[in-house]
Amino acid sequence: MKKIILLAILLSCAIGVSAQQKGELLIKNATVMTASGGTLQNRDILVRNGKIVQIGRDLKASADAQIFDGTGKFVTPGIIDAHSHAMMDAVNEFSFAVTSMARIRDVLDPTDISIYRALAGGVTAANLLHGSANPIGGQNSVVKFKWGHPIEDFLIADAPPGIKFAMGENVKRSNSQIQPGQTRRYPATRMGTVEVIRDAFVRARDYKQAWDDYRAKKTKVPPRRDLELEPLVEVLEGKRLVHAHGYRSDEHLNLLLIAKDFGFKVATLQHGLEAYKIAPEIAKSGTGVSIFADYWGYKIEAYDAIPYNAAILWKNGVVVSINSDSAERIRRLNIDAAKMMKYGGVPEEEALKMITLNPAKQLGIDKRTGSIEVGKDADIVIWSAHPFSVYAHPEVTMIEGEVFFDRQKDVAMRDQLEKEREALEKAEANLPPEKRGKSEKPKENPSPNGGLQ
Amino acid sequence: MIKKILNNLCLSLFICGSLFISAFAQNGGTQQNLTGRDGAFAITNARIVTVSGDTIENGTIIIRNGKIEAVGANIRAGGGVETIDGKGLTVYPGMIDAATNMGLIEIGGGAAGTVDVAETGNMNSNAKAITGINPNTSHINVTRVNGTTTVLSLPVSGLVSGQSAIINLNGATQSEMAVVPVFGLIVNFPRVTTFEFAPGVGRRAIEYSQAVKQRDKNVEDLKKIFDEAALYAKTREAYAADKSLPHKDIDLKMEAMIPYLKGEKPVIFTADRERDIRGALKFADELKLKAIILGGAEAWKAADDLKKYNVPVIYTNMWSMPLGQDADYDSMYAGPGKMKAAGVKFAIASGDDGANARDLPYQAGMSAAYGLSKEDALKAVTIYPAEILGISDKMGSIETGKVANIVVTDGDLLDARTNIKYLFINGRLLPLTSRHTELYEAFKNRK
């Protein structure tokens, strides 16, 4: 009985905490860059239960609402990175050329410190992609960076599933060393890469046919399930988004031709460093492009990359996003977006869209996030100054109305953390063996796995 | 010795160069490093950020014979001067990037034949960056059209990598580019390395006490190099004074060490961790070397030693990840602010191999979002590096008599949205073109 009462108390506490987190929140008197409806001066944003419920002037909130004074500050939607490998314990399943069965979901680490650092750069959501070692890589995960929450909370449940494709040198394994006696993996050329993808879709089409026939009762024995081909059938059925890594314009075009042959659409070209050369073709295919703002020249494939890429694509009507592909770069995507105004004259709101609404569109999550609009998730960043200024930094980053980064609190905690660190370093257990007290001998681990069960 | 040869070469080429400059200026190929055109120029009605003195809100600057002839609020441009209306524009000194590998790497990843940055072996004191720099690298134009006009370019490998070069980002030859052709000796101060990559195993940890022992051994090896060079110098000097002594053959590697041993030129130690910085400072003090710290991630923690030994820091970590999981998220952004507060002399450099060195202004700007003043952020890429590199009598600010390395903008030089409108290096008006503008022009209207 006592246990039950205790449990009830604990439960109500938990609910109390979550009600506070999910309750009301009011940002007052800020410059609001909506990313969809222009920039609004001296505006309030009211958030309730994780959603934006009102944008206006002199809004009223309930007595226990959390209040943020936005005077002199700028508010933007949370930044979305359409190409990241944060919180991934593994990036590439190198073994096969087609690894569509591999899932990023299975290697996610919610304690990766890069999550917090990304939040501190104003990033709230990311597309976590398999690497580019294979023509057809693994299944990606689209997450929000709910630092401190269990991994299930990170996943955006209604984000369409996706898969990574890749073309070019990484797929050819050009830069990997082949040990003596080892056979080089197929494909080793761009010709082979195209054939690997074509072959996989031929197989997927047959597999789909077998299931369609069975379901139509044309055959009596169900086909054997194939975890490699199932995701590709979803691609053929338009249920799974293709995010395709590539550099050269010709390889992108070849993929778009395959997609046309098999009747599916490529959701995004990833990197697309030469996409500007084929902007009209990309626009016609309805494919988005997710690029580096201006990172270039690190390999031959990246030698024709230009910082005007975004401007040319945008002028052709292509949905463009600016990504990081890096735990470092993800912290300053606002500056990358700012550069787009300089290179080719992308208007301010269009540049902002490239790190907010456009990646949301590319990932199929724009109904819930990517802009500041009534009804959308309260994924919001409060900046100390204009977010495109090099002198600005995020002050608060929130996801669905819950604050996951607060610079003031971060700075305030530093002395305490430093003391904690010093105390830990002095703790007996953390001293090197020769400095430990002589009375206490190093203990044997009670179990072979160090006591962890 | 080498410096003298290069200087002479530089002089003769400069004279010859001026004869065919006009022909060069007609060349449309920007990847071939267009060297612009000489002339007398007056930028009028402009806001002039001198860096060394007060900002002139509405002034004129006159450029002639490669130099800043006059600057001020009440300067009148005389006849024979090409006038640029600077209304609404701001004039800055060109930025100086005190750590790059400019010209030594065209394409780092898997493009053999475009990489000249890392000589083989541990001891390459005689290797000189100036002899490996490709004046026609596409990185030069890409970088300078963002406002950087001068860089330090340095080799990277082994214990003693070689000697760096200070170059202007303009010139058809190495000599034309050279500001100080042979500047500082790059020494990679041995670090405590707590992991290694083993074949077939991948990354594995090295026990800490073992790592410290290995570091100590490496420092000993480095010490031996300097000791050997000192002995060499002594033997050579003794022979010069008394020809009856045994003759000591010339050793180019040892010969190259002499100006550094004598403290005539700086030794640039790469060091990031506090313990490595303190180690390098102690090493330099014992050998009476003139030291500069390159990297300096934790330099603010070693501020007491840096001030004690009066050693400046070229900070290349603005966009590096914090050192360790529990480091403050903004620890690298905050480094310059903390160094300033502690009284350490520093510059902010990109540390880039060249292609992306154009980010220097934004890296500097971000330091002002995390503790440094905006004025100091600008100084950190202009006058501070000029002082550390010993060229502040020529560059780093807008003053009469200084080299006309000038950038004219439509906004804050450090802001990513700002456009460069005019660019001068050595008083030459340069086209604002690059490999990137060429490709842009070629494809922007494709239907």
Side-chain angles (χ1 to χ4, degrees), chain A residues 379-395:
Chain A
D379 301 344
I380 292 172
V381 188
I382 306 175
W383 301 81
S384 62
H386 193 297
F388 287 176
S389 164
V390 287
Y391 306 123
H393 57 247
E395 296 203 328

Side-chain angles (χ1 to χ4, degrees), chain A residues 35 72 173 175 205 229 231 277 291 407 449:
Chain A
R173 314 298 310 132
N175 298 318
R205 201 165 52 186
L229 296 179
K277 294 182 179 176
I291 63 172
R407 179 165 166 84
N449 60 0

Side-chain angles (χ1 to χ4, degrees), chain A residues 81-85 129-132 164-167 170 243-248 251-252 268-276 282 288-295 298-299 301-302 305-306 309-310 313 320-326 362:
Chain A
D81 186 353
H83 190 134
S84 168
H85 305 294
L129 286 165
H130 185 275
S132 51
K164 176 76 171 284
F165 283 17
M167 317 274 285
N170 293 7
H243 303 292
H245 160 115
Y247 282 84
R248 261 169 45 182
E251 65 201 18
H252 283 315
T268 67
L269 299 174
Q270 293 287 335
H271 302 320
L273 265 57
E274 291 184 12
Y276 67 93
I282 294 170
V289 185
S290 188
I291 63 172
F292 293 129
D294 63 348
Y295 185 46
Y298 43 94
K299 51 180 174 175
E301 286 181 295
I306 61 172
N309 199 5
L313 291 166
V320 186
S321 67
I322 310 280
N323 69 52
S324 80
D325 190 15
S326 146
Q362 293 175 343

